[in-house]
Amino acid sequence: MKKNNLFFLILFALSFHSSSAQNDNVRMKKKAITLIPVDGLDSYPVYKGNDLGLTYSKRKSVFKLWSPAAKEVTLRLYEKGEGGKAVLTKKMKPKGKGLWLAKTGGNKEGLFYTYQVSLGDTLLAETPGPYVRATGVNGLRGMIVDFAKTNPEGWQNDQRPPLAHFQDIILYELHLRDISVHENSGIKNKGKYLGLTETSTKTPDGLSTGLDHIKELGVTHVHLLPVFDFLSIDESNLDQHKYNWGYDPQNYNVPEGSYSTDPYDGRVRIREFKTMVKALHENGLRVIMDVVYNHTGSTENSSFNLTAPYYYYRLDENGFFSDASGCGNETASERPMMRKFMIESMKYWAQEYHVDGFRLDLMGIHDIETMNLAAAELHKIDPTIFIYGEGWTAGTSPLPEIRRAVKANAKKLKGVAVFSDDFRDGVKGNVFEPKAAGFATGNYKLAESVKFGITGAVNHPQVDYAKVNYSKFAWANEPADCINYVSCHDNHTLWDRLVNSRKGDQEADLLKMDKLAQTMVLTSQGIPFLLAGEEFVRTKEGLDNSYQSADRFNRINWDNKKKYKDLFTYYKDLIALRKKHPAFRMGTAEAIRKNIKFMDSPFDYIIGYSIDGAAAGDSWKRILVIFNGSKIGKRMTIPDGNWKMICNNYRISENGMGKVNGNKINLLPWSAYILAEE
Ligand code: CA
């Protein structure tokens, strides 16, 4: 989720819908007064069991719902996921601690269900409840599913690909539809989970696409934009497919239906999601889910609010839903049942679907304690599960910042990494100023922000923190706490930013800047992160907030793989270089402080540093990395040594492109250099 774009959305909403928004607020406030207990929402009892939702067996189905304010709860079974009359209606029984229970005998597999909560004078709408794990079309009703039957063949042998250290990770951020939907993707299951399981797919030019392409590129983790069930796409009308990123959660523990080949049968999306995970694992790729627990797509009619009104949300001093997400509400992770829900949900995806990590949208809304508990619980399942998030919000929150998982509090997070907007904007320019340049496009004033990223946001004696664009101190404890990137789904792609900030420059020069920017990402300490498709020029035709734009803005254009073959090769070689050389991914802050030394720069536009490769366990004894972020070529003195050129003139060769004579090198415009001594 984006902060700037939401801001404009809010302005839009306020300017065009202010009267209806006010009415809504008045209505909500009136309702809140009657629905919130006198002693406050924190007075609700807490249910500690881990069996909320449906427990299925062939003999019976057991339904458990936490609904502390309910006077009565009705369970209904249906034959279909929408429409038709209930085939069974049952009053649930109160069991204390807010728990309601119902049992139905016999094998009810394939039927659908809802809960309906009565608060006495108020009857809430039917809902599958927050804990639902399978639904029919559009996530309206839960589905009774035998999960044992949802496993693809060989699922019991599915394994997470090996990962020795977090610092070995290279993230690739991907929207499931974008990868396959282009006419020349060669992928049959366009826009589907299964699209990411197809191998040997090619462009008309015979170049690999989809899964094979990702493998060829060499990244380690595929980070999927929301693939849990979200609200914005009508699953019953996929011919009129509306594109959406999916940051509008509906059922957190259910896969999105529009990505399945049959959104009506809840089992299909489960099996296809697992098939996708298995295919990625078999090809050596780990899978990260983008999770959006910070808000729900609908507010009053979310499954949270239809079972425990207001409890799962923060409210402002006037009793309105507070809105740090910029999407109409924010959840309250500090409340025990919300905290429990979040943690159990991530554990569920890790265990049932073998997901390898989580990216938390607007993590700055969640409290630190919840994030640390979640990380600890997930690491009990597997210590290599990787957790990271956006260390910011999209609006103000009533929970004091000192308690929230924002970037400034990153040192208090344990096993949770955060994105470095310091580095992102340092390299390519401030995302909120579409024409602003960064260090890689000629703004030398951002040099310290780049150095901040090179050192993985850990404290380094040669970084002048007073001159860093945003953070005035090193916020990472260890390098794996920092995600370095120059672009993601939000805002402009790297290419569009280059075009915007370097108006009139030749494409050949923009390609040099592109390589320079990503060389910074992929040689820096910390965890590198790439937006899918950037490896052969990705453009959204200048759009920044493309969250519901047409495919033509969002899809990966496979024709570009041939057109920008040189760029793709460069990215691939850079990734291979990083994977081969541990000097670019040291494990500790201490090692970074000891082994990285910035050199005196002859020119403000040049950053150069050396790495003590031997000390970092690398096969190269010493390494030099130099960036020239200007259109002017320069001569630079380098330390004496027996250097071979690994990267220059916008090409990479791990075996070297000849010896360097003397202790001076010529730096070409917009260039990155890597030199090594064996
Ligand atoms: Ca959906």
Side-chain angles (χ1 to χ4, degrees):
M1 189 53 63
K2 57 263 150 245
K3 33 185 180 178
N4 61 330
N5 302 326
L6 281 167
F7 177 68
F8 292 112
L9 278 179
I10 294 161
L11 276 185
F12 177 84
L14 285 177
S15 54
F16 289 90
H17 302 290
S18 57
S19 63
S20 77
Q22 266 168 19
N23 290 342
D24 277 354
N25 272 343
V26 169
R27 195 162 47 81
M28 286 191 316
K29 190 179 179 185
K30 245 169 105 178
K31 209 162 153 189
I33 290 164
T34 55
L35 294 185
I36 294 173
V38 195
D39 298 336
L41 293 160
D42 291 317
S43 68
Y44 282 153
V46 172
Y47 179 70
K48 292 220 163 74
N50 60 2
D51 56 354
L52 287 168
L54 164 66
T55 306
Y56 162 85
S57 76
K58 286 190 173 60
R59 285 183 298 107
K60 62 178 178 187
S61 292
V62 180
F63 298 84
K64 289 186 178 178
L65 182 75
W66 185 74
S67 185
K71 297 282 181 287
E72 206 173 82
V73 183
T74 306
L75 171 75
R76 288 187 182 85
L77 298 192
Y78 295 90
E79 277 178 345
K80 289 186 173 172
E82 58 174 356
K85 286 214 169 77
V87 293
L88 187 146
T89 301
K90 213 170 172 154
K91 295 278 178 239
M92 297 182 79
K93 291 197 176 107
K95 292 285 173 183
K97 302 278 183 198
L99 185 71
W100 295 79
L101 180 131
K103 290 178 188 173
T104 60
N107 190 353
K108 295 287 190 282
E109 189 192 358
L111 291 181
F112 296 85
Y113 67 91
T114 63
Y115 305 104
Q116 190 170 31
V117 169
S118 168
L119 300 164
D121 51 359
T122 311
L123 186 64
L124 302 177
E126 289 179 57
T127 170
Y131 308 92
V132 64
R133 292 174 169 189
T135 68
V137 69
N138 284 325
L140 300 171
R141 291 175 182 164
M143 187 181 185
I144 303 177
V145 163
D146 181 354
F147 269 79
K149 291 185 189 168
T150 63
N151 296 338
E153 206 179 315
W155 183 243
Q156 66 281 4
N157 301 322
D158 176 61
Q159 291 202 328
R160 305 179 196 281
L163 178 70
H165 309 287
F166 286 143
Q167 66 266 23
D168 301 342
I169 292 172
I170 301 171
L171 298 164
Y172 187 71
E173 189 202 39
L174 179 69
H175 184 283
L176 194 63
R177 187 170 170 85
D178 294 349
I179 186 92
S180 55
V181 80
H182 187 264
E183 54 183 351
N184 287 334
S185 72
I187 295 169
K188 286 193 203 83
N189 291 287
K190 288 187 167 52
K192 304 292 179 191
Y193 297 116
L194 295 181
L196 212 43
T197 68
E198 293 179 33
T199 53
S200 306
T201 58
K202 293 194 188 318
T203 65
D205 307 306
L207 302 173
S208 68
T209 61
L211 176 54
D212 281 3
H213 167 80
I214 301 171
K215 203 174 157 183
E216 183 188 3
L217 182 63
V219 296
T220 64
H221 286 56
V222 175
H223 154 155
L224 293 167
L225 259 69
V227 281
F228 54 78
D229 185 32
F230 55 83
L231 199 60
S232 48
I233 289 180
D234 181 357
E235 299 175 5
S236 68
N237 192 16
L238 293 178
D239 291 338
Q240 299 282 312
H241 203 110
K242 283 185 296 176
Y243 180 92
N244 210 285
W245 284 344
Y247 291 93
D248 51 338
Q250 185 174 1
N251 294 301
Y252 284 105
N253 296 337
V254 177
E256 162 60 15
S258 64
Y259 298 144
S260 76
T261 57
D262 181 1
Y264 290 86
D265 183 338
R267 292 167 285 207
V268 175
R269 59 178 85 179
I270 297 168
R271 187 177 302 112
E272 291 178 350
F273 193 113
K274 288 177 176 176
T275 305
M276 171 187 72
V277 172
K278 183 168 169 278
L280 288 162
H281 281 174
E282 281 168 354
N283 284 280
L285 293 158
R286 287 191 168 218
V287 185
I288 305 265
M289 270 179 82
D290 191 338
V291 285
V292 189
Y293 299 108
N294 67 77
H295 73 277
T296 50
S298 87
T299 303
E300 288 201 286
N301 287 316
S302 71
S303 58
F304 284 152
N305 215 51
L306 292 177
T307 53
Y310 300 93
Y311 174 83
Y312 291 96
Y313 299 97
R314 292 186 192 134
L315 305 175
D316 66 18
E317 70 251 27
N318 297 314
F320 299 143
F321 287 101
S322 58
D323 191 17
S325 73
C327 297
N329 63 72
E330 67 180 281
T331 55
S333 57
E334 68 280 13
R335 290 228 166 89
M337 293 302 285
M338 180 63 208
R339 173 176 291 165
K340 174 183 163 67
F341 180 83
M342 261 178 79
I343 295 173
E344 282 183 8
S345 175
M346 283 186 271
K347 284 172 71 176
Y348 172 67
W349 285 105
Q351 289 173 314
E352 181 68 36
Y353 289 90
H354 305 181
V355 165
D356 307 292
F358 300 93
R359 173 266 190 199
L360 284 107
D361 186 62
L362 299 180
M363 187 171 71
I365 291 178
H366 303 312
D367 69 305
I368 294 166
E369 197 182 338
T370 297
M371 286 312 307
N372 284 343
L373 278 168
E377 285 293 311
L378 288 164
H379 290 152
K380 275 187 217 163
I381 296 171
D382 189 318
T384 65
I385 290 174
F386 188 54
I387 304 145
Y388 54 108
E390 291 183 307
W392 49 74
T393 66
T396 53
S397 171
L399 191 75
E401 183 172 290
I402 194 166
R403 289 185 62 189
R404 286 188 283 110
V406 293
K407 189 180 65 172
N409 295 331
K411 276 188 184 299
K412 294 184 205 159
L413 292 167
K414 303 277 177 276
V416 181
V418 300
F419 285 96
S420 177
D421 54 346
D422 313 275
F423 182 73
R424 177 194 70 199
D425 291 3
V427 174
K428 70 158 185 185
N430 186 328
V431 292
F432 303 119
E433 299 165 26
K435 290 182 180 167
F439 187 85
T441 44
N443 184 356
Y444 69 88
K445 290 178 183 160
L446 289 164
E448 290 305 308
S449 308
V450 173
K451 287 166 68 183
F452 183 92
I454 289 170
T455 49
V458 303
N459 197 45
H460 189 283
Q462 284 178 286
V463 178
D464 183 351
Y465 293 96
K467 290 184 184 158
V468 173
N469 49 3
Y470 308 136
S471 299
K472 302 303 172 193
F473 66 98
W475 42 257
N477 289 317
E478 298 295 350
D481 298 335
C482 166
I483 312 280
N484 277 327
Y485 69 127
V486 287
S487 56
C488 67
H489 67 279
D490 277 326
N491 312 116
H492 291 113
T493 64
L494 173 61
W495 187 257
D496 288 345
R497 166 52 64 106
L498 294 175
V499 169
N500 276 348
S501 57
R502 299 293 314 176
K503 282 269 187 277
D505 281 13
Q506 298 291 315
E507 183 172 282
D509 282 329
L510 298 180
L511 286 165
K512 291 173 190 170
M513 295 172 215
D514 188 307
K515 288 178 177 176
L516 173 60
Q518 297 288 17
T519 313
M520 291 173 172
V521 172
L522 284 158
T523 53
S524 288
Q525 307 298 319
I527 313 283
F529 171 108
L530 304 170
L531 170 65
E534 296 273 46
E535 62 273 23
F536 43 70
V537 172
R538 182 161 182 181
T539 174
K540 296 194 282 189
E541 298 183 24
L543 272 186
D544 57 349
N545 190 4
S546 61
Y547 80 103
Q548 58 175 6
S549 303
D551 283 331
R552 88 177 166 92
F553 296 100
N554 283 298
R555 89 273 180 276
I556 289 174
N557 179 356
W558 288 104
D559 293 340
N560 276 4
K561 190 167 176 184
K562 184 176 182 216
K563 188 174 176 192
Y564 297 105
K565 186 168 177 282
D566 173 70
L567 187 69
F568 170 67
T569 304
Y570 186 87
Y571 274 53
K572 192 174 75 162
D573 291 348
L574 253 180
I575 288 168
L577 195 71
R578 181 179 184 91
K579 284 164 87 172
K580 192 140 188 206
H581 290 280
F584 298 118
R585 44 187 171 86
M586 287 180 247
T588 66
E590 197 48 43
I592 290 169
R593 278 191 283 276
K594 272 191 190 147
N595 302 333
I596 288 189
K597 299 265 183 295
F598 288 95
M599 300 188 276
D600 290 333
S601 175
F603 189 43
D604 288 339
Y605 293 88
I606 292 169
I607 296 172
Y609 63 97
S610 65
I611 309 177
D612 184 338
D618 205 290
S619 58
W620 288 335
K621 213 162 64 189
R622 279 197 298 167
I623 301 168
L624 297 180
V625 182
I626 303 165
F627 303 123
N628 177 17
S630 88
K631 62 182 174 188
I632 299 165
K634 276 277 168 184
R635 211 163 155 73
M636 179 163 172
T637 305
I638 56 170
D640 291 327
N642 192 16
W643 300 108
K644 64 177 183 177
M645 193 64 85
I646 304 299
C647 168
N648 84 330
N649 200 16
Y650 328 113
R651 286 190 302 124
I652 289 172
S653 170
E654 214 267 332
N655 296 320
M657 295 177 281
K659 295 255 177 284
V660 178
N661 294 318
N663 66 345
K664 288 205 188 308
I665 58 168
N666 290 319
L667 306 175
L668 292 163
W670 314 118
S671 62
Y673 288 79
I674 302 171
L675 294 82
E677 189 182 51
E678 271 164 332

mmCIF file of all heavy atoms in Angstrom, residues 2 60 232 262 309 336 393 436 450 472 565 603 658 674 678:
data_model
loop_
_atom_site.group_PDB
_atom_site.id
_atom_site.type_symbol
_atom_site.label_atom_id
_atom_site.label_comp_id
_atom_site.label_asym_id
_atom_site.label_seq_id
_atom_site.Cartn_x
_atom_site.Cartn_y
_atom_site.Cartn_z
ATOM 1 N N LYS A 2 0.363 2.257 -0.552
ATOM 2 C CA LYS A 2 1.182 3.431 -0.769
ATOM 3 C C LYS A 2 0.730 4.562 0.113
ATOM 4 O O LYS A 2 -0.452 4.659 0.403
ATOM 5 C CB LYS A 2 1.088 3.860 -2.233
ATOM 6 C CG LYS A 2 -0.350 4.126 -2.684
ATOM 7 C CD LYS A 2 -0.992 2.936 -3.416
ATOM 8 C CE LYS A 2 -2.478 2.893 -3.201
ATOM 9 N NZ LYS A 2 -2.905 1.738 -2.471
ATOM 10 N N LYS A 60 -18.681 -35.556 11.667
ATOM 11 C CA LYS A 60 -19.353 -34.326 12.115
ATOM 12 C C LYS A 60 -18.542 -33.091 11.726
ATOM 13 O O LYS A 60 -17.335 -33.191 11.440
ATOM 14 C CB LYS A 60 -19.546 -34.354 13.636
ATOM 15 C CG LYS A 60 -18.242 -34.404 14.399
ATOM 16 C CD LYS A 60 -18.455 -34.380 15.905
ATOM 17 C CE LYS A 60 -17.100 -34.480 16.589
ATOM 18 N NZ LYS A 60 -17.144 -34.632 18.011
ATOM 19 N N SER A 232 -12.254 -6.702 -4.351
ATOM 20 C CA SER A 232 -12.507 -5.792 -5.478
ATOM 21 C C SER A 232 -12.822 -6.457 -6.808
ATOM 22 O O SER A 232 -13.290 -5.789 -7.717
ATOM 23 C CB SER A 232 -11.317 -4.855 -5.646
ATOM 24 O OG SER A 232 -10.126 -5.602 -5.625
ATOM 25 N N ASP A 262 -11.763 -22.175 -10.999
ATOM 26 C CA ASP A 262 -13.169 -22.290 -10.624
ATOM 27 C C ASP A 262 -13.398 -21.649 -9.264
ATOM 28 O O ASP A 262 -13.179 -22.276 -8.227
ATOM 29 C CB ASP A 262 -13.597 -23.763 -10.585
ATOM 30 C CG ASP A 262 -15.070 -23.906 -10.216
ATOM 31 O OD1 ASP A 262 -15.752 -22.872 -10.010
ATOM 32 O OD2 ASP A 262 -15.551 -25.056 -10.116
ATOM 33 N N PRO A 309 -18.507 -6.479 16.706
ATOM 34 C CA PRO A 309 -18.484 -5.104 16.200
ATOM 35 C C PRO A 309 -17.467 -4.215 16.920
ATOM 36 O O PRO A 309 -17.417 -4.210 18.150
ATOM 37 C CB PRO A 309 -19.916 -4.620 16.444
ATOM 38 C CG PRO A 309 -20.739 -5.867 16.406
ATOM 39 C CD PRO A 309 -19.868 -6.932 17.007
ATOM 40 N N PRO A 336 -6.016 -8.572 22.215
ATOM 41 C CA PRO A 336 -5.596 -9.984 22.210
ATOM 42 C C PRO A 336 -6.184 -10.827 21.086
ATOM 43 O O PRO A 336 -5.470 -11.619 20.484
ATOM 44 C CB PRO A 336 -6.075 -10.507 23.566
ATOM 45 C CG PRO A 336 -6.414 -9.326 24.382
ATOM 46 C CD PRO A 336 -6.538 -8.129 23.495
ATOM 47 N N THR A 393 2.866 4.144 7.927
ATOM 48 C CA THR A 393 1.408 4.063 7.827
ATOM 49 C C THR A 393 0.989 4.986 6.676
ATOM 50 O O THR A 393 1.837 5.667 6.101
ATOM 51 C CB THR A 393 0.731 4.569 9.118
ATOM 52 O OG1 THR A 393 1.002 5.962 9.239
ATOM 53 C CG2 THR A 393 1.234 3.843 10.349
ATOM 54 N N ALA A 436 11.853 14.258 -9.447
ATOM 55 C CA ALA A 436 13.093 14.379 -8.668
ATOM 56 C C ALA A 436 14.106 13.322 -9.095
ATOM 57 O O ALA A 436 13.754 12.184 -9.390
ATOM 58 C CB ALA A 436 12.778 14.233 -7.184
ATOM 59 N N VAL A 450 22.676 6.928 -0.183
ATOM 60 C CA VAL A 450 23.123 5.723 -0.882
ATOM 61 C C VAL A 450 24.090 4.941 0.008
ATOM 62 O O VAL A 450 23.979 3.713 0.143
ATOM 63 C CB VAL A 450 23.771 6.086 -2.240
ATOM 64 C CG1 VAL A 450 24.381 4.855 -2.898
ATOM 65 C CG2 VAL A 450 22.733 6.721 -3.160
ATOM 66 N N LYS A 472 17.944 9.743 10.505
ATOM 67 C CA LYS A 472 19.136 10.413 11.011
ATOM 68 C C LYS A 472 19.964 9.488 11.901
ATOM 69 O O LYS A 472 20.825 9.926 12.656
ATOM 70 C CB LYS A 472 18.748 11.703 11.759
ATOM 71 C CG LYS A 472 17.971 12.691 10.895
ATOM 72 C CD LYS A 472 18.730 13.098 9.625
ATOM 73 C CE LYS A 472 17.861 13.922 8.677
ATOM 74 N NZ LYS A 472 18.465 14.054 7.331
ATOM 75 N N LYS A 565 17.469 -7.282 -24.247
ATOM 76 C CA LYS A 565 18.229 -8.468 -23.886
ATOM 77 C C LYS A 565 19.487 -8.110 -23.091
ATOM 78 O O LYS A 565 19.850 -8.774 -22.118
ATOM 79 C CB LYS A 565 18.615 -9.207 -25.170
ATOM 80 C CG LYS A 565 19.279 -10.545 -24.950
ATOM 81 C CD LYS A 565 19.349 -11.314 -26.265
ATOM 82 C CE LYS A 565 20.069 -12.637 -26.088
ATOM 83 N NZ LYS A 565 21.527 -12.466 -26.038
ATOM 84 N N PHE A 603 35.130 13.667 -6.641
ATOM 85 C CA PHE A 603 34.021 14.349 -7.296
ATOM 86 C C PHE A 603 32.771 13.981 -6.505
ATOM 87 O O PHE A 603 32.587 12.827 -6.133
ATOM 88 C CB PHE A 603 33.985 13.768 -8.729
ATOM 89 C CG PHE A 603 33.068 14.417 -9.715
ATOM 90 C CD1 PHE A 603 32.954 15.793 -9.807
ATOM 91 C CD2 PHE A 603 32.352 13.627 -10.618
ATOM 92 C CE1 PHE A 603 32.132 16.363 -10.772
ATOM 93 C CE2 PHE A 603 31.534 14.200 -11.580
ATOM 94 C CZ PHE A 603 31.431 15.575 -11.652
ATOM 95 N N GLY A 658 40.010 -8.380 -18.077
ATOM 96 C CA GLY A 658 41.359 -7.843 -18.205
ATOM 97 C C GLY A 658 41.873 -7.193 -16.929
ATOM 98 O O GLY A 658 41.109 -6.892 -16.011
ATOM 99 N N ILE A 674 33.111 -2.614 -10.732
ATOM 100 C CA ILE A 674 33.502 -3.561 -9.684
ATOM 101 C C ILE A 674 34.862 -4.109 -10.081
ATOM 102 O O ILE A 674 35.042 -4.578 -11.217
ATOM 103 C CB ILE A 674 32.476 -4.707 -9.536
ATOM 104 C CG1 ILE A 674 31.079 -4.149 -9.211
ATOM 105 C CG2 ILE A 674 32.925 -5.683 -8.436
ATOM 106 C CD1 ILE A 674 29.969 -5.192 -9.254
ATOM 107 N N GLU A 678 42.510 -11.156 -6.546
ATOM 108 C CA GLU A 678 42.401 -12.527 -6.044
ATOM 109 C C GLU A 678 43.474 -12.843 -5.015
ATOM 110 O O GLU A 678 44.486 -12.177 -4.932
ATOM 111 C CB GLU A 678 42.455 -13.512 -7.202
ATOM 112 C CG GLU A 678 41.050 -13.728 -7.715
ATOM 113 C CD GLU A 678 40.977 -14.379 -9.081
ATOM 114 O OE1 GLU A 678 41.912 -14.209 -9.867
ATOM 115 O OE2 GLU A 678 39.967 -15.020 -9.353
#
